[in-house]
Amino acid sequence: MSLLNSYEGLRQESQRLAQENAELRRLVQLLQENHELKLALHSRGSLGFCGPDFLAEVAVSPRAPRRRTIKFKDADRVHPGLPAEEPLPDSSASTMGAPEGRFHFAIDRGGTFTDVFAQCPGGHVRVLKLLSEDPANYADAPTEGIRRILEQESGTLLPRDRPLDTSHIASIRMGTTVATNALLERRGERVALLVTRGFKDLLHIGTQARVKLFDLAVPMPEVLYEEVVEVDERLVLYRGEPGTGTPVKGRTGDLLEVQQPVDVGALRGKLEGLLSRGIRSLAVVLMHSYTWAQHEQQVGMLARELGFLHVSLSSETMPMVRIVPRGHTACADAYLTPAIQRYVQGFRRGFQGQLKDVQVLFMRSDGGLATMDAFSGSRAVLSGPAGGVVGYAATTYQLEGGQPVIGFDMGGTSTDVSRYAGEFEHVFEASVAGVTLQAPQLDINTVAAGGGSRLFFRSGLFVVGPESAGAHPGPACYRKGGPVTLTDANLVLGRLLPASFPCIFGPGEDQPLSPEASRKALAAVAAEVNSFLTQGPCPATPLSLEEVAMGFVRVANEAMCRPIRALTQARGHDPSAHVLACFGGAGGQHACAIARALGMDTVHIHRHSGLLSAMGLALADVVHEAQEPCSLPYTPDSFAQLDQRLSQLEGQCVDALQAQGFPRSQIRTEGFLHLRYHGTDCALMVTAHQHPATAHSPRAGDFGAAFVERYMREFGFIIPERLVLVDDVRVRGTGCSGLRLEDVPKAQTGPPRVDKMTQCYFEGGYQETPVYLLGELGYGHKLQGPCLIIDSNSTILVEPGCQAEVTEQGDIRISVGAEAPSTVGTQLDPIQLSIFSHRFMSIAEQMGRILQRTAISTNIKERLDFSCALFGPDGGLVSNAPHIPVHLGAMQETVQFQIQHLGADLHPGDVLLSNHPSAGGSHLPDLTVITPVFWPGQTRPVFYVASRGHHADIGGITPGSMPPHSTSLQQEGAVFLSFKLVQGGVFQEEAVTEALRAPGKISGCSGTRNLHDNLSDLRAQVAANQKGIQLVGELIGQYGLDVVQAYMGHIQANAELAVRDMLRAFGSARQAQGLPLEVSAEDHMDDGSPIRLRVQVNLSQGSAVFDFSSTGPEVFGNLNAPRAITLSALIYCLRCLVGSDIPLNQGCLAPVRVVIPAGSILDPSPEAAVVGGNVLTSQRVVDVILGAFGACAASQGCMNNVTLGNARMGYYETVAGGAGAGPGWHGRSGVHSHMTNTRITDPEILERRYPVILRRFELRPGSGGRGRFRGGDGVVRELLFREEALLSVLSERRAFQPYGLHGGKPGARGLNLLIRKDGRTVNLGGKTSVAVYPGDVFCLHTPGGGGYGDPEDPAAPPGSPPQPTTFHERGSVYEYRRAQEAV
């Protein structure tokens, strides 16, 4: 939240106040007697902050008062302008690694504020907060902060226009958002990408998965480079084929073949052209350079010779396998590092000698400090937030006796969550501002928009965020016309005190915070709420303004709890076993409620919570890391090599730290191995520091035992028969240099003084609430809730039932009491509805975490191809996670079939298994496990839980159970119509094994080819269901069965309402244009089968009939789509058309009647083959529905399924194409659309694991349809085969083009070519299986998307509204959800 904008403005205001202030004469007299205070106030350029209380304190003090801040005139809030001074009992042990008697500065330069934490000669500490941007008063905030503290401590005026004397400065540590802001705002250096020929669009395509599943415009972050230069060079893995030359050995130990050396002559001319166009920074990304970097080094030498100022080689930036994230990292480095260097150089110029004799260190994303020269762009994006994690790790964790800590950093524009339990939790690949970075980073999860989260009432639901008011215009109370936000809700509830803030709001930035503006803005939302309550389907009593505000706060708290649960449970931890460490300006208002909801009993708020990131910099150590890729097995034969490599990397770290002046005694090193089981992608970076070496391990430690222990904790099982592989070797060297803060005892001086009394609103109404000033509280003071504690940077709310106490260190520890019991009835309450919506979704998400942790197969554990769901007593879907489009409506059909089929034959202890298309299945590999849940006193199940997972093989005529030419269901694998997997609590292993092997009895078919994984994954699905039962049981225990079942119905009705609103809006728009309320569309499969749809909208009811009656009959092949697939496609389309986040459940289909003729391609006979219907026909159904509504042109309409296999290996992929254009947007090129979102295997992984060479993977120019808005281009993908294999292709849109809309032209058809080794080219058609041989090339051209609008029309059709400001989500929780939706 912005507190200050211009100190000059405040100075002028203070002069005006001074003329009216009778106390001024008294102050002048005091200034004459107090030189230190005069300097302090002079440096502020203001005298008007001083009120009578402050002056009285000065009058009785022989020197400036030793308190954290001074007060505003006539204000209750303490002001952060004057540095605090706190004594440390023993500064000799806390020198931050530099000589004594000098200053040590730790500075966090944030987006809005810069925080300064200074240890002064003599050991006392000063803290200071100032604006990061205030050009009217100073050029650079960190420099200004240092200047002020030097001036105040020395008693000497230091002019701003002169470089500062550094003779009294020992060290400066800084965290900065310079890199993050440049990335967010795309204000980095102009960059060109140099990449291996054939891969010019590789980083544009990326993983090919879209970020927002239901956004038809497919918004994607743009690439960072401006131009691409293809480098004529190629390196491939050596396989000893005849005619190959002498291999070279990579640093992983792999042998490689140089197929084509770098063509330096051709490259020179291209680079000179870049220089002539003003590009001075390059990112060099060549295939397999992670293991053999000579080609990149050649290119780098040439570029530097020609005069490029910055060259980022991917092999140096992060030498890890996988070219796509490594390439993004190199681009980010080239894009950001020059900006960082410019900032550093500008900072240096503010000091004499440009800081030559001062130790200057910058915080990196991994939580360690680095020198200015080692501070690069790709390692800097979390520089600011990392300091906060280090801060609470070094304080709260120790002070709470080593209890695990959840960090909760809630500011004005974002909320960050992290975890610490004795060691930093790192991730090695994460997305920041849409850019995937392959570098060690603290796992900091941005989960919400903070106090600036906007508030909405949508279709009967309270919604908080993700849209944000941002810093400008900010919340409504800022008086700049901003929207209503969470900050406004807290202000209305009395939890923020306007008098605590300076008068810097409004257009002139001279007015106080406005409660009236908050109430007015919130009243508009409250009117919507009460209109719904009084005129909606369930009339109820209107809510007061405070009840509405309280509702939004409660919903916001529940929304923030969901990712915290996910963060802890992902690694097998219980959230309630943690302490909540709260910092940031807005966190104190929500800490008690968050902790209570998560079952935590302690909240810890550091005395410097508002400056914890700066203090974390002071506590941090200097870090140097060395890492290199590896391809060794973790076996005794490799232990000597692993020890040698660890030793070499350790030497590099020690040398680097000693070069910075650290003696060997202050250097600690820690070795890591990046380990995974063979055949999996789930690698864990493990250290052996708690596992000393044994006779059966490397000398560096028992990494194998550490891996097994962590794998068991996170996933619940191990695979002892599997070989463990080493992907990377890493050493982290630490130079111990951080400030070691000791206890700062503060004597209790009588009972705590109540500064004032105020009224705060809680459940049940307003309560008298005392207000305390943190600076006046002493050790041992205990404060009963409710109360407010005000410090210089935040407001802490101690809720009723909680107790706060001041610790010996001056921190606040809150003991969280149980929430007062409240009665929730079965009648609809919009606030409870919003809370139950989050609770129901959280249950499905936690089920998914258990399934992912306990499953063994790659499909479920790593590709995350599964869904978990909760159903009501009628089998209607309540909540479903994740949102895999093809699963959305299908599981409901499955559960309801079982209810009808089994009737009374459902008993406690039964678990059902089904995959049959006529029983709600999608295709046979998707096995659905259903558990009916009984409750005491109820004869029928009270609800159901289910999990659907894609099993890699369940038999049939081809491995993978997805044959391109199947003509009957039996050819596609094992079939389960209604099978009791568990009966009476006993897992029926023998019976299910027999069923999985049954396809082998059919001629030409095989039983399951991986029984062990099938059984393990089925057990995992049963365990996931059991977790769901436990969680719903807890919910029933809290609210009662009738209330939980009532809200299951209410949440379904809410989804229904959202769809009805959309249908009414669509019908009204057509009616206003004089168009009929009936729309239709038609498209065809490549075999000519028509998919025909007629939609009749009932405007008054907000309902519609979707009639597929004229659709073609069942086909002989496998393009038949079960009825459940059509329903999934319809729910997906309805969600896209609604345009906002709504519960995806049974209610979505309540307003629509779907007519599908039996025996058609969309409702085939029970024995029809269906595998193609799941992956291809589903896409055509979506095209037809969206075409009928005129929402957008057709996308590629295909998944481009490619399977490759022989006796020793099998590989399957789906390939991206073009997305359709729409009103206001061009179609995205090279992306998956609609019913699939599968990530594609990285080119380097593909070539390492399979006998192929990827020759090309780039966009297909011109394949998108022309239009006022162009359709997206498809891709070209060429695979050269190195072994004999069977190639199978299952694709569509090879005959019928993706349509354009409103005059837009259609996209190009796809094309499948096989180029034989002898040069003969064959068109394979859309569906085929063919033998391929070494030297053959498969060339796949995927379809483009259709165009929108007449290409000759210069006037743009009505466009989509601009994207609202939202917070930028990041962290492992976000990456997990992205991976779930990329299926």
Side-chain angles (χ1 to χ4, degrees), residues 299-315:
V299 173
M301 287 177 60
L302 175 62
R304 294 183 181 102
E305 173 190 317
L306 291 174
F308 283 91
L309 300 180
H310 183 84
V311 181
S312 292
L313 305 183
S314 76
S315 54

Side-chain angles (χ1 to χ4, degrees), residues 673-1018:
L673 296 182
H674 204 195
L675 302 175
R676 62 181 172 86
Y677 282 119
H678 178 68
T680 74
D681 288 326
C682 191
L684 299 176
M685 188 72 77
V686 297
T687 175
H689 76 276
Q690 293 183 347
H691 296 270
T694 69
H696 307 289
S697 77
R699 294 193 311 275
D702 195 347
F703 294 93
F707 173 72
V708 168
E709 179 185 278
R710 183 171 163 196
Y711 203 93
M712 173 64 79
R713 184 181 73 242
E714 294 198 13
F715 304 122
F717 69 95
I718 57 174
I719 319 175
E721 68 277 9
R722 291 269 186 102
L723 180 67
V724 176
L725 303 178
V726 185
D727 280 348
D728 300 277
V729 182
R730 169 179 168 236
V731 172
R732 181 178 176 91
T734 303
C736 302
S737 64
L739 177 71
R740 297 294 176 256
L741 291 179
E742 299 187 11
D743 292 348
V744 185
K746 294 185 176 182
Q748 180 175 320
T749 56
R753 186 184 74 86
V754 177
D755 188 68
K756 67 187 302 185
M757 296 296 294
T758 188
Q759 292 273 316
C760 287
Y761 190 91
F762 300 95
E763 294 292 339
Y766 280 103
Q767 295 190 35
E768 282 288 316
T769 306
V771 179
Y772 301 93
L773 301 182
L774 179 60
E776 295 182 356
L777 298 177
Y779 167 49
H781 277 146
K782 294 184 179 181
L783 313 173
Q784 295 295 330
C787 67
L788 293 176
I789 302 173
I790 307 292
D791 85 337
S792 56
N793 305 296
S794 64
T795 299
I796 301 169
L797 172 68
V798 183
E799 295 200 358
C802 301
Q803 177 182 273
E805 63 175 316
V806 182
T807 68
E808 286 184 280
Q809 297 76 32
D811 303 338
I812 297 293
R813 179 188 288 118
I814 301 175
S815 299
V816 180
E819 188 173 17
S822 59
T823 302
V824 178
T826 57
Q827 186 177 9
L828 174 63
D829 177 345
I831 299 170
Q832 291 295 339
L833 179 67
S834 305
I835 293 170
F836 269 103
S837 175
H838 284 291
R839 294 292 293 270
F840 289 146
M841 276 301 296
S842 182
I843 289 169
E845 290 166 352
Q846 290 180 69
M847 289 172 63
R849 286 290 190 174
I850 294 295
L851 177 52
Q852 187 254 350
R853 283 182 56 219
T854 56
I856 197 171
S857 71
T858 298
N859 268 355
I860 293 180
K861 175 169 287 299
E862 293 162 23
R863 289 188 62 243
L864 307 180
D865 193 350
F866 64 82
S867 286
C868 296
L870 172 66
F871 304 85
D874 63 348
L877 179 64
V878 175
S879 63
N880 186 44
H883 294 142
I884 296 175
V886 81
H887 291 178
L888 284 177
M891 273 202 285
Q892 171 176 301
E893 294 272 305
T894 305
V895 175
Q896 291 178 334
F897 176 88
Q898 300 302 322
I899 294 173
Q900 296 165 8
H901 180 74
L902 293 173
D905 188 20
L906 273 174
H907 308 285
D910 288 350
V911 180
L912 311 176
L913 172 63
S914 180
N915 69 344
H916 199 292
S918 63
S922 48
H923 63 167
L924 295 186
D926 281 346
L927 297 183
T928 304
V929 174
I930 306 161
T931 306
V933 183
F934 293 83
W935 196 255
Q938 305 293 318
T939 57
R940 300 288 300 157
V942 295
F943 59 91
Y944 298 81
V945 289
S947 54
R948 172 170 288 183
H950 184 109
H951 288 239
D953 193 290
I954 55 166
I957 58 176
T958 61
S961 304
M962 293 189 66
H965 287 310
S966 56
T967 57
S968 69
L969 191 66
Q970 287 73 19
Q971 294 175 331
E972 296 178 357
V975 180
F976 300 91
L977 183 72
S978 182
F979 181 90
K980 290 198 174 180
L981 180 64
V982 178
Q983 190 165 11
V986 179
F987 187 81
Q988 303 296 302
E989 181 169 346
E990 185 176 337
V992 74
T993 298
E994 182 180 349
L996 286 166
R997 288 175 170 165
K1001 301 173 183 177
I1002 301 171
S1003 176
C1005 293
S1006 167
T1008 179
R1009 298 165 181 85
N1010 201 341
L1011 178 64
H1012 177 263
D1013 281 11
N1014 294 138
L1015 296 176
S1016 295
D1017 286 353
L1018 286 172

Side-chain angles (χ1 to χ4, degrees), residues 457 462 526-543 548 827-830:
F457 186 72
F462 280 63
E528 297 179 45
V529 174
N530 290 326
S531 174
F532 173 83
L533 287 176
T534 56
Q535 303 172 25
C538 303
T541 305
L543 299 177
V548 171
Q827 186 177 9
L828 174 63
D829 177 345

Side-chain angles (χ1 to χ4, degrees), residues 195-196 231 233 284-289 295-296 323 326 1244:
V195 68
T196 303
V231 180
E233 67 84 39
V284 184
V285 185
L286 304 182
M287 281 286 286
H288 299 296
S289 61
H295 281 183
E296 281 196 357
I323 188 173
R326 192 175 74 249
E1244 290 177 342

Side-chain angles (χ1 to χ4, degrees), residues 257-317:
E257 173 192 348
V258 181
Q259 275 196 345
Q260 181 178 356
V262 177
D263 188 340
V264 177
L267 182 59
R268 179 183 292 272
K270 296 176 183 177
L271 294 181
E272 289 171 343
L274 292 176
L275 286 169
S276 70
R277 293 188 290 278
I279 293 177
R280 298 289 184 272
S281 186
L282 298 179
V284 184
V285 185
L286 304 182
M287 281 286 286
H288 299 296
S289 61
Y290 67 93
T291 183
W292 201 76
Q294 278 82 337
H295 281 183
E296 281 196 357
Q297 291 167 357
Q298 276 185 268
V299 173
M301 287 177 60
L302 175 62
R304 294 183 181 102
E305 173 190 317
L306 291 174
F308 283 91
L309 300 180
H310 183 84
V311 181
S312 292
L313 305 183
S314 76
S315 54
E316 295 176 355
T317 304

Side-chain angles (χ1 to χ4, degrees), residues 1332-1347:
V1332 293
Y1333 303 94
D1336 291 347
V1337 175
F1338 173 56
C1339 185
L1340 173 65
H1341 294 243
T1342 68

